Amino acid sequence: MILPLKPCIFCKQSTILSCFFTATIVCIFIGLLAEECKGVQLTQECVDNIECLVQQYMQISDESDRTTELSIKIANSSVGVLLWCPMSRFSKALRCPVHGNDLSYSRWVYKQSDNPRMIYGLTKNDILVQRYYYCGGSDHRSKHKILSTDQDILLQLSANERSAMKFKLRHKCGWTNDLSDFIFTQVSYGATFLDIVSQVERFRVERLGHRYSIDSVLQNELSLTSLSGLFQQQFQENELFRFPSRDIVETIFLETFIERRNFYEWFMDDLTANSISMDHTFKVSKNIGIVRQIDQKWTQQYSSLFIVLNEQGLVVTWSFTSTEKFEEISQLLISLRDRMASKGITVKQAYLDNCCKWAKLLEDVFGPGLEVKLDIFHGLQRITRTIPKRSKMSSSCSADLRLVVRNRSDVGATRIAETPSPKVINENMDIFVSKWNNGSPSTPWTDETTKEVNNLKVSDSAFERRPDHHLS
């Protein structure tokens, strides 16, 4: 049994794949929320340092020795400088995307009046120093300048050349590839955007603390002020050291998903499923909609999200739905059946909540040999719904019920063992019933609880309704 990752921060499902489609819809309907990056105001000392770096860069004759990642010292800490000039970096001729003329070099963009852009990084921020290119057509009216990060310039580069650009630049903000990879990895393990902001902040503080711990000159400076005062001066008063906000982190995550979307779709199409588990979830759909212009009220577009998982807990197909009717997702299941058939695979089992109502409908899609069963989660939920919440022992009773489907040797707070055999689950259920259905005044057991327990039996590690409860 493959243990799932932590729940997705959007839809609370067990795998990161389940949040990819959520990210797409959220991106479309609520837009990219980000702080506008209008550039940073650099001191004259900083400008002078950057100018020295640019001169050193241009004096390197061997292009293989040129690096776009440099650094300068500001306020006793390192700030990265990203130089981006593909014409000089790759000795490459570029053409004006408007007029088709050959481009020539113009000046670098780093002076105070330029308001150079800042690029968010994982352990530090970077100052982006790009370059203007000059379109020198014979018609003086066509002469203009274009920045080296312009998308039309990047399209003229090969894939290998574009890979040397270790950052992404958008209208409102920019970020390094290291930061976007870190954010995406953290989200896949269940971290929230606010968690990630805190982690980045911790990286920065620890980096600064390390510098002061090994530098005697800086230690003398630290003796003149408090540690909290030092951090406030470093990170709150100097915009070059500011952290990416929660909105910036969300923007980076959504942009990264869009960039990698084709890969994820290919990955999902390549998944197989011998057994499927399906359900409607409602948390995601609450976040999908628009704000009405008339009264500024939030209007939800979908009722629910229908998800189909394979035996490993990976999403193999999904769809937003307006209702919970089978007709809305029948074509989705037919496509899944055909996709599996093209791989020589037949879906043999289906686990779901409304197994009685959909049994015949699912057999019509996947064939009469399909086993349709009530999944463990909803089977236990039918019992817990009968336990009065006002009872003092209700939480203990519900906790014992969850142990019914756990291996007896798996006693920790987190489940680590595989689901036990049907025989063991049935024995566990008998123990649970004998413990709580004892006639004691303090027990939360009800007649409804007895009815739901008797309605269930266990087969192939999942609950199944008794045969007389199935549709014929």
Side-chain angles (χ1 to χ4, degrees):
M1 180 178 183
I2 296 179
L3 295 176
L5 298 175
K6 291 183 179 180
C8 163
I9 59 174
F10 284 103
C11 56
K12 305 303 180 185
Q13 295 299 318
S14 59
T15 65
I16 182 59
L17 283 176
S18 61
C19 72
F20 295 152
F21 49 78
T22 306
T24 307
I25 301 299
V26 172
C27 179
I28 294 174
F29 286 96
I30 69 173
L32 300 176
L33 301 177
E35 297 173 352
E36 185 173 2
C37 182
K38 298 180 180 179
V40 289
Q41 293 293 328
L42 302 179
T43 65
Q44 187 58 49
E45 179 185 5
C46 182
V47 172
D48 294 340
N49 289 336
I50 294 176
E51 186 171 3
C52 291
L53 286 180
V54 170
Q55 292 176 356
Q56 294 172 13
Y57 175 84
M58 296 306 300
Q59 290 173 359
I60 300 175
S61 57
D62 187 352
E63 64 183 47
S64 63
D65 292 334
R66 287 178 174 173
T67 177
T68 58
E69 299 180 48
L70 305 168
S71 64
I72 58 177
K73 294 288 178 55
I74 300 177
N76 294 324
S77 189
S78 294
V79 175
V81 177
L82 294 174
L83 299 176
W84 182 247
C85 176
M87 281 183 65
S88 61
R89 176 66 180 83
F90 307 113
S91 299
K92 187 181 184 71
L94 299 173
R95 302 182 72 84
C96 173
V98 178
H99 308 100
N101 301 319
D102 289 336
L103 295 176
S104 56
Y105 295 117
S106 185
R107 66 181 183 84
W108 292 87
V109 180
Y110 59 85
K111 295 183 178 180
Q112 293 172 319
S113 58
D114 294 326
N115 288 331
R117 301 287 297 274
M118 186 181 71
I119 305 296
Y120 287 106
L122 181 57
T123 59
K124 61 180 177 61
N125 295 332
D126 298 296
I127 302 170
L128 174 61
V129 179
Q130 50 188 321
R131 197 170 190 177
Y132 276 121
Y133 296 144
Y134 179 74
C135 173
S138 57
D139 183 358
H140 71 277
R141 292 173 297 180
S142 68
K143 295 180 181 181
H144 66 277
K145 293 182 292 188
I146 184 171
L147 285 168
S148 57
T149 55
D150 189 281
Q151 287 298 314
D152 290 323
I153 294 296
L154 301 181
L155 290 175
Q156 299 182 47
L157 306 180
S158 66
N160 287 336
E161 290 168 343
R162 286 196 298 271
S163 67
M165 190 175 179
K166 305 296 184 182
F167 62 93
K168 299 292 187 299
L169 187 64
R170 297 296 183 264
H171 175 64
K172 292 188 175 182
C173 63
W175 57 87
T176 63
N177 294 346
D178 288 343
L179 179 59
S180 61
D181 290 342
F182 174 77
I183 291 172
F184 219 78
T185 300
Q186 292 303 305
V187 170
S188 70
Y189 283 97
T192 66
F193 294 140
L194 286 177
D195 290 337
I196 296 172
V197 171
S198 298
Q199 292 177 43
V200 173
E201 180 179 357
R202 186 164 59 250
F203 285 147
R204 305 284 185 87
V205 171
E206 290 177 354
R207 181 185 178 93
L208 181 63
H210 177 69
R211 286 187 54 82
Y212 273 80
S213 68
I214 62 175
D215 192 316
S216 59
V217 175
L218 296 180
Q219 289 175 10
N220 292 332
E221 178 183 324
L222 183 58
S223 64
L224 301 177
T225 183
S226 65
L227 188 62
S228 59
L230 172 66
F231 288 158
Q232 179 178 5
Q233 179 183 12
Q234 180 80 67
F235 297 116
Q236 296 181 16
E237 299 178 1
N238 194 328
E239 62 178 340
L240 287 175
F241 299 97
R242 63 190 177 196
F243 309 122
S245 67
R246 180 208 172 278
D247 290 343
I248 291 289
V249 170
E250 181 179 356
T251 296
I252 295 173
F253 173 77
L254 296 176
E255 286 270 359
T256 305
F257 164 75
I258 293 173
E259 184 180 89
R260 304 176 182 178
R261 178 174 181 172
N262 290 338
F263 167 77
Y264 298 131
E265 291 179 345
W266 169 83
F267 182 85
M268 184 177 290
D269 288 341
D270 199 50
L271 294 174
T272 60
N274 293 293
S275 301
I276 57 175
S277 174
M278 61 189 74
D279 191 21
H280 287 87
T281 180
F282 303 93
K283 290 183 179 180
V284 175
S285 57
K286 291 180 180 179
N287 298 319
I288 310 300
I290 59 173
V291 177
R292 293 190 306 199
Q293 296 294 328
I294 299 177
D295 52 11
Q296 296 300 305
K297 287 187 177 180
W298 175 256
T299 304
Q300 187 174 324
Q301 186 173 8
Y302 300 100
S303 170
S304 62
L305 172 67
F306 181 75
I307 302 175
V308 181
L309 308 177
N310 65 5
E311 58 270 21
Q312 295 178 327
L314 300 176
V315 178
V316 291
T317 191
W318 61 273
S319 177
F320 285 103
T321 61
S322 300
T323 67
E324 296 179 62
K325 294 181 180 179
F326 185 84
E327 291 76 11
E328 276 204 64
I329 50 88
S330 59
Q331 190 57 49
L332 184 76
L333 296 177
I334 291 173
S335 298
L336 176 63
R337 177 202 65 191
D338 295 342
R339 203 172 88 205
M340 294 301 108
S342 67
K343 304 176 187 295
I345 296 173
T346 301
V347 177
K348 300 179 178 63
Q349 295 97 19
Y351 304 97
L352 62 156
D353 183 14
N354 49 348
C355 53
C356 300
K357 295 181 180 178
W358 282 16
K360 183 63 171 61
L361 298 171
L362 290 171
E363 289 174 0
D364 291 341
V365 174
F366 294 101
L370 180 72
E371 298 180 72
V372 181
K373 302 176 182 179
L374 177 66
D375 66 87
I376 289 176
F377 171 79
H378 289 102
L380 296 180
Q381 190 179 62
R382 294 184 183 193
I383 298 176
T384 56
R385 285 174 178 172
T386 68
I387 300 175
K389 299 297 185 291
R390 62 181 179 274
S391 172
K392 294 181 180 179
M393 303 298 293
S394 61
S395 59
S396 298
C397 183
S398 298
D400 283 354
L401 178 61
R402 290 193 292 270
L403 297 178
V404 167
V405 293
R406 286 184 64 170
N407 215 305
R408 292 172 187 172
S409 61
D410 190 13
V411 295
T414 303
R415 176 178 174 175
I416 58 175
E418 294 185 1
T419 303
S421 67
K423 179 177 179 295
V424 173
I425 293 180
N426 280 316
E427 292 173 354
N428 291 343
M429 182 65 80
D430 292 339
I431 295 173
F432 169 76
V433 173
S434 63
K435 176 179 178 179
W436 290 100
N437 188 17
N438 54 18
S440 170
S442 61
T443 183
W445 198 274
T446 65
D447 292 340
E448 268 312 298
T449 308
T450 301
K451 179 182 177 180
E452 286 300 331
V453 169
N454 291 334
N455 280 340
L456 296 173
K457 73 172 185 177
V458 176
S459 175
D460 294 338
S461 299
F463 287 101
E464 180 181 45
R465 298 296 284 183
R466 291 186 180 278
D468 55 323
H469 284 235
H470 273 294
L471 294 176
S472 58

